[in-house]
Amino acid sequence: MKRNFVFGIIIAVFALQQVFSQELLIGIKPHQLITAGNSFDFGTGGTSLELAYRQNLQTNLKWYAGIETGTSLWGTEFLANAGLVYCKSISGIWSWEVTAGLQQGIELFRPASLYTGGIISTIGIQAKISEKSSLAFNTGLRYVFCPAYAQYSYISTSLQIPFSLSYRLIL
Amino acid sequence: MNIKHLLIFSMVLLLGACSYLPELTLNETNIQNKLSETSDRIVLESASGNATSALIFYPGGLVDPHVYLEWQDKLVTENQDLMIITVKMPANLAVLGINNGLKVMEDYPEINNWYVGGHSLGGTMGAELIAGSPDKFKALIFIASYPANDKLKNWDGAALSIHASNDGLSTPADIEAHKADLPAAFVMNDMTNFNLPLQSKTHYYEIQGGNHGQFGNYGVQDKDSVAFISRADQQTQLVTVINNFISAL
C-alpha cells in the first residue's frame, strides 16, 4: 500500500513537470540607488546573487520563488523572494516579461540580525541560447526598508533601480 | 563591486559574517555637532561648517560605521576646524573599498589638509589608501591597527598609532612586530609627549587597560580581551591623543 502511494506521488510529480514548464534561474543583481532615506542619492545599493525557481501557472503567467544574498545599503543581507511573471514571446528566440514580487529577509548583524523587506517590479528581455537555456536582462524599481536600522542611522529606506543579468535553465 | 569582490564577499558570508551593530542609538549618542549621512559616508562637522582639515575614517571589519560617532563627535567639538568623514564600506569590509576615500575627497575642494584614520582592518586599508597616493595626505592614524606591508616605511607624512594593552585582536605584540613597516618609531610616555616635527615619524601611544572593542561602541568583540578601564575612559584618551597630534601637525 505504502509502496503504491509513493509510486503514485512520483508519477504525479512527473506528470506535473510535463504540464507545467519549469525553470531554474541564477543571476547577478547590482542595485543603483535613486534615494537613500529621504534624499536623492545616486550611489550604489549593493550587489546580490539570486537563485530562483519558476513554474507556469497559465500560458503566459508564471510564479517564482527563490533566495538572494549579497551586499546591501546596510551591510549584507539574505532574502527570500516570491512573485509573479507575465511573459510574452516575440519570436522563436526573443521574449519579454514583466515581474512583480515581494522580498523578505534579514540584514546580517550581531548580536541579532534585523528584519528587512522590499517590493520589486521589473521589465526584462530574454534570449534563448539553446533548447534548454536562455539569458535575460531585467531592470525596474525596488523599494527596500530595514525599519529597526532607523535607530542607528538616517537611512533605513531606499528606492533603487535593480539590474539583473540571469541564466535560465529549462527543466 | 567586481567578480573578485563578490567571491570574497561570498566566502565571508559562508563563514557566517555578521556586522556588529552600535550599542547606542542615534538619540542615545546625543550628537552635538552637525551630522549628515549618505549611502557612502557619514559626515561630522561643526555647526559653522568652516572646517579646513578632514579626517577620512575607515571602520573596522564587520563593524557598523555608526559605532564610532560618540568619540568622533567629541573630537569635532574639541577641534572645530576638523571634519570627520567615515566612509561606508561594501559589506562593512574596508578591504572591498580601499580607494573609496579618494572619491570622497573630490567633494570637498575647500579642505586643505587631509588625514586618514582607521580602526583595525580600517586602519590597515587606510594605510593602503595613502600608499597609493602618498602626496595627498598629511597624516595617518592607526587605531588598534598596523600596516599589512612596508609601503609607507619611507613616507614623509606623520603617523600615529594608538593601541590598547588588553587588545586581544591587534595585540601589543602585533603592533611591535610591524613597527619596522612604518616611519621611525617614537614611543610616547604621555598624551602630550610628541617628538616634533611629526613628519617622517610614527608616534605610538598605548592605552593602559583598554581593549579592541572599546575603540567603538559595539560591545564585546569575539576573541578580544577584557578591559579594566571603562569605554568612556578609553575613548577620552583616544580623543585627547588624536587632538594633540593634529594640533601639533
Side-chain angles (χ1 to χ4, degrees):
Chain A
M1 180 69 179
K2 189 179 171 186
R3 197 169 57 183
N4 288 345
F5 177 74
V6 172
F7 186 69
I9 293 286
I10 292 169
I11 292 291
V13 168
F14 184 74
L16 278 173
Q17 282 183 335
Q18 304 309 305
V19 174
F20 299 108
S21 89
Q22 306 167 94
E23 60 186 18
L24 272 181
L25 173 157
I26 184 163
I28 184 166
K29 289 169 77 175
H31 300 103
Q32 166 68 50
L33 298 183
I34 299 174
T35 66
N38 297 322
S39 306
F40 285 105
D41 189 318
F42 300 103
T44 55
T47 302
S48 55
L49 283 172
E50 179 186 23
L51 185 67
Y53 170 83
R54 294 174 161 210
Q55 191 179 64
N56 269 20
L57 282 172
Q58 297 170 12
T59 309
N60 293 324
L61 191 65
K62 299 175 182 179
W63 64 271
Y64 73 88
I67 54 172
E68 181 175 330
T69 184
T71 56
S72 72
L73 204 48
W74 303 292
T76 56
E77 66 186 7
F78 190 87
L79 297 168
N81 299 332
L84 294 171
V85 183
Y86 179 81
C87 50
K88 191 93 175 165
S89 180
I90 302 170
S91 68
I93 295 175
W94 297 96
S95 61
W96 62 266
E97 66 182 27
V98 177
T99 76
L102 292 175
Q103 304 187 298
Q104 299 285 289
I106 52 173
E107 292 293 328
L108 297 174
F109 283 113
R110 61 173 85 182
S113 293
L114 303 180
Y115 163 75
T116 187
I119 51 176
I120 183 167
S121 182
T122 68
I123 184 164
I125 187 146
Q126 176 173 308
K128 209 168 183 178
I129 54 174
S130 75
E131 271 305 303
K132 285 279 186 185
S133 61
S134 59
L135 283 176
F137 174 77
N138 286 53
T139 187
L141 280 177
R142 176 195 192 217
Y143 179 74
V144 287
F145 45 85
C146 182
Y149 199 72
Q151 297 174 87
Y152 312 108
S153 167
Y154 292 148
I155 297 172
S156 61
T157 60
S158 175
L159 184 65
Q160 307 176 350
I161 301 173
F163 297 97
S164 167
L165 186 62
S166 60
Y167 173 78
R168 296 159 182 200
L169 186 65
I170 298 162
L171 301 176
Chain B
M1 175 183 263
N2 58 30
I3 294 297
K4 185 180 82 176
H5 290 167
L6 199 65
L7 287 174
I8 292 171
F9 161 75
S10 303
M11 286 165 60
V12 169
L13 197 64
L14 286 173
L15 294 172
C18 300
S19 298
Y20 287 93
L21 270 176
E23 278 197 324
L24 301 179
T25 65
L26 269 183
N27 282 342
E28 289 166 342
T29 307
N30 193 22
I31 301 291
Q32 301 296 308
N33 294 288
K34 187 174 152 195
L35 174 68
S36 57
E37 183 174 3
T38 61
S39 61
D40 66 349
R41 72 194 74 165
I42 303 164
V43 181
L44 258 175
E45 59 186 322
S46 68
S48 65
N50 292 329
T52 55
S53 303
L55 170 66
I56 292 175
F57 189 81
Y58 283 9
L62 296 175
V63 174
D64 185 89
H66 300 85
V67 306
Y68 307 100
L69 283 175
E70 191 177 37
W71 67 256
Q72 289 177 339
D73 186 52
K74 287 180 178 140
L75 182 57
V76 171
T77 299
E78 288 191 14
N79 189 338
Q80 296 278 297
D81 276 344
L82 183 70
M83 173 192 287
I84 301 179
I85 305 167
T86 302
V87 181
K88 296 182 182 179
M89 295 294 176
N92 292 323
L93 288 169
V95 70
L96 302 181
I98 294 171
N99 290 318
N100 288 5
L102 294 177
K103 187 178 155 214
V104 164
M105 291 170 73
E106 294 168 6
D107 296 335
Y108 302 93
E110 72 278 14
I111 297 295
N112 301 321
N113 304 307
W114 287 97
Y115 319 131
V116 177
H119 175 222
S120 194
L121 177 68
T124 306
M125 295 305 119
E128 291 297 308
L129 171 69
I130 292 186
S133 309
D135 298 333
K136 291 187 173 173
F137 302 98
K138 292 196 170 173
L140 169 60
I141 301 170
F142 288 105
I143 299 172
S145 182
Y146 47 85
N149 50 55
D150 64 358
K151 289 178 191 169
L152 292 180
K153 188 176 172 58
N154 298 314
W155 182 50
D156 60 3
L160 171 67
S161 173
I162 304 173
H163 62 281
S165 63
N166 288 25
D167 192 323
L169 290 109
S170 300
T171 65
D174 293 330
I175 304 295
E176 184 67 32
H178 288 85
K179 276 185 176 171
D181 296 333
L182 288 168
F186 180 81
V187 179
M188 300 166 65
N189 50 27
D190 68 47
M191 289 189 273
T192 57
N193 176 222
F194 291 99
N195 182 2
L196 299 176
L198 300 179
Q199 286 69 30
S200 300
K201 294 187 190 100
T202 307
H203 283 75
Y204 289 86
Y205 181 79
E206 182 173 276
I207 298 177
Q208 293 299 318
N211 70 4
H212 198 81
Q214 288 191 163
F215 284 116
N217 296 359
Y218 59 94
V220 179
Q221 183 160 353
D222 280 351
K223 299 176 184 168
D224 202 1
S225 300
V226 177
F228 60 80
I229 60 171
S230 68
R231 181 172 73 198
D233 192 0
Q234 182 168 337
Q235 293 186 4
T236 298
Q237 290 188 54
L238 175 71
V239 167
T240 303
V241 175
I242 293 176
N243 193 32
N244 290 346
F245 174 75
I246 289 174
S247 300
L249 280 167

